[in-house]
Amino acid sequence: MASIAWWWAIPAAALILAVLWAAWHTRTRRAPGMRETTEHFAQYQAVLTRVVESGDGSPARHNPNGPQGVATARRDVP
């Protein structure tokens, strides 16, 4: 009889874990405050600056003859 109880304990434990995970995953989160939003914006600007800069550190510029939305690195051609 004890072995049957152990076999039934496995799905019962899985059900309890699933309910706990669902409750945790769907919890109401608080609205971000001013400090969090400005920090995220500063991080966004830093990442965007790294993406726009080319490998040699010079800022990128728009190529009017290239495809729209593509930036090319500024190069000094002799």
Side-chain angles (χ1 to χ4, degrees):
M1 188 69 168
S3 63
I4 294 174
W6 281 109
W7 280 107
W8 281 106
I10 294 170
L15 176 66
I16 292 170
L17 288 175
V19 168
L20 289 174
W21 178 84
W24 176 261
H25 188 68
T26 59
R27 71 191 185 281
T28 304
R29 292 176 176 87
R30 65 177 176 85
M34 176 68 81
R35 171 174 239 137
E36 289 91 5
T37 55
T38 53
E39 288 174 0
H40 288 134
F41 183 69
Q43 291 173 357
Y44 169 75
Q45 282 183 324
V47 169
L48 191 60
T49 302
R50 281 187 301 221
V51 168
V52 171
E53 286 183 356
S54 66
D56 59 357
S58 64
R61 63 181 172 84
H62 177 69
N63 181 2
N65 298 327
Q68 186 176 2
V70 174
T72 58
R74 187 181 312 162
R75 307 226 187 263
D76 294 329
V77 179

